[in-house]
Amino acid sequence: MEIDFSPAAAALAEKLLPAALEIIGRYPEGRGRSALLPLLHLVQTEEGHVSPAGVAFCADVLGINKAQVGAVATFYTMYKRRPTGEYLVSVCTNTLCNMMGGQDVYDQVSEHLGVGHDETTGDGKITLEHAECLAACDYAPVVTVNYDFAVDEATPESAIDLVEQLRKGERPALSRGARLCSLRDMQHQLAGFADERDGAVGDGPAGLPTLRGVTLAQQAGVAVANFNLDTPINKTKPSPREEQGQQPGRVATAAKSVAGAVKAAAGAVADKVEERRSVKSPATEQATSNAGKTTTNGDVKDPETRTAERRNPTMSTPDKTGDSQATSPAPTNAAEAAGVAANQPAGDGKPAGDTDRGTGRADDKDDADQPATDSSPGWTNVARGNEEKK
């Protein structure tokens, strides 16, 4: 397969092309563009982020333009737009984790490391981010390292202890899941390649918070009638109930009833529309259609104008007719009255103070070379400024 790589992508192509072609080969003929997501992860295994060279490489190997690659790379937060550390520490600050102290965990870790969201420590070890959701509400708040669950029911102290171990070069045991690896190794797995490390894949039992619902059901003797864990899920229609001639369940019955009501209502509307379309003209006794015709109610005002007039805020009661004239609110004290009197209203569509109202002084060519005086509103500050310079 001959691919003409641009100079920007050539260096990456030498390192990543065999793996990239393997990824593209997983997709049907003509559907290679679907490989863009794992290819972006592949780029991050080498670059640590989606670099301009990585964008060019993906575009060249897939035969698309860089704008299409960039649109995808900037949409998903797992594609980093600038270099990241060896470990990506994510603290969930979404609703439940936040309620359980997630924001406090993030704030104290951020202060301890001296970095904010999507920033990397000076030693290049840790990039910190607050995550919107890590899909582990039963362990809230949670902290992950390179997308593996690291600390469940985290506290500021446990999270800070975790990052300190990482900064010292240690690899602490994670609370659940696989053995800890670097972010670039994780990107290699996200690109679709297996983790070849001995014992890397975790296979532990589910934790107690996850099993809490099942435990309560067992304690209360709650179970699904006739449930068999080994029964395969039927993915075809009709349903097993219908195949066995049984009556449909309550949910199915309710859904069928609602569907019937909706169809009946739609039929009634259709009949009403047809009835209006078939109204006979008194003069011709022939059916005529009113569809698409406008109706006249005698009010020719623009709807926005009519609404504005009815909601005039300067009147004690709304004007229902639109005939009343709006008035300025009356000053309530002497200071306000003095301010209103000194505030000249704008004229000729210009801001207040730019012209003498109605004279267009600023546009008056005959007066353009005349010195400004204090009697000309809008020019006063200019004249005083010139006097100060003198």
Side-chain angles (χ1 to χ4, degrees), residues 66-349:
K66 291 186 289 186
Q68 292 170 304
V69 177
V72 174
T74 55
F75 184 83
Y76 296 102
T77 59
M78 292 179 75
Y79 300 125
K80 304 304 178 184
R81 300 298 289 167
R82 54 185 178 182
T84 53
E86 184 178 358
Y87 300 106
L88 175 67
V89 176
S90 308
V91 182
C92 183
T93 57
N94 210 330
T95 308
L96 184 54
C97 282
N98 193 13
M99 293 295 295
M100 300 299 291
Q103 187 63 52
D104 187 38
V105 172
Y106 172 82
D107 290 340
Q108 294 201 38
V109 171
S110 175
E111 183 177 355
H112 179 79
L113 294 175
V115 297
H117 171 66
D118 204 24
E119 294 180 351
T120 304
T121 55
D123 57 9
K125 283 285 186 180
I126 297 176
T127 297
L128 178 66
E129 71 172 5
H130 69 78
E132 282 303 312
C133 183
L134 296 178
C137 298
D138 44 355
Y139 290 95
V142 291
V143 178
T144 64
V145 175
N146 299 337
Y147 307 117
D148 276 329
F149 292 110
V151 184
D152 295 329
E153 300 176 349
T155 63
E157 293 75 20
S158 62
I160 290 175
D161 180 62
L162 169 71
V163 298
E164 276 304 302
Q165 292 183 63
L166 296 175
R167 296 182 76 177
K168 293 176 182 177
E170 302 174 6
R171 293 201 174 186
L174 304 183
S175 60
R176 291 175 289 133
R179 183 184 300 174
L180 183 63
C181 64
S182 69
L183 182 59
R184 296 194 184 197
D185 290 337
M186 176 56 69
Q187 296 298 332
H188 191 259
Q189 298 169 40
L190 292 173
F193 297 97
D195 188 345
E196 302 294 344
R197 295 176 301 153
D198 184 27
V201 179
D203 191 22
L208 291 178
T210 302
L211 300 176
R212 182 60 176 161
V214 176
T215 303
L216 290 174
Q218 292 174 344
Q219 293 174 352
V222 178
V224 178
N226 302 320
F227 176 73
N228 183 357
L229 185 62
D230 298 323
T231 302
I233 298 176
N234 193 305
K235 298 182 179 180
T236 61
K237 294 182 178 180
S239 69
R241 285 179 176 272
E242 294 172 332
E243 288 180 339
Q244 298 172 11
Q246 299 177 7
Q247 293 295 323
R250 286 180 294 177
V251 174
T253 302
K256 186 175 181 180
S257 175
V258 171
V262 170
K263 289 182 179 179
V269 172
D271 292 342
K272 195 67 175 178
V273 171
E274 186 60 31
E275 177 184 343
R276 291 182 177 180
R277 288 182 174 179
S278 59
V279 173
K280 293 184 178 181
S281 169
T284 62
E285 290 295 322
Q286 295 180 352
T288 179
S289 174
N290 291 322
K293 294 182 179 180
T294 59
T295 58
T296 302
N297 59 5
D299 188 352
V300 296
K301 290 182 180 178
D302 179 88
E304 293 184 0
T305 302
R306 182 169 62 251
T307 300
E309 290 175 342
R310 291 182 177 179
R311 296 180 177 178
N312 195 327
T314 63
M315 300 181 181
S316 57
T317 57
D319 175 25
K320 301 299 183 180
T321 64
D323 297 330
S324 300
Q325 297 297 318
T327 59
S328 299
T332 58
N333 54 60
E336 184 178 346
V340 171
N343 184 18
Q344 294 291 336
D348 302 321

Side-chain angles (χ1 to χ4, degrees), residues 24 27-39 58-59 61-65 68-69 72:
I24 296 173
Y27 296 86
E29 185 72 23
R31 299 296 181 92
R33 288 181 58 177
S34 298
L36 178 56
L37 297 180
L39 282 177
C58 291
V61 78
L62 292 177
I64 58 180
N65 60 53
Q68 292 170 304
V69 177
V72 174

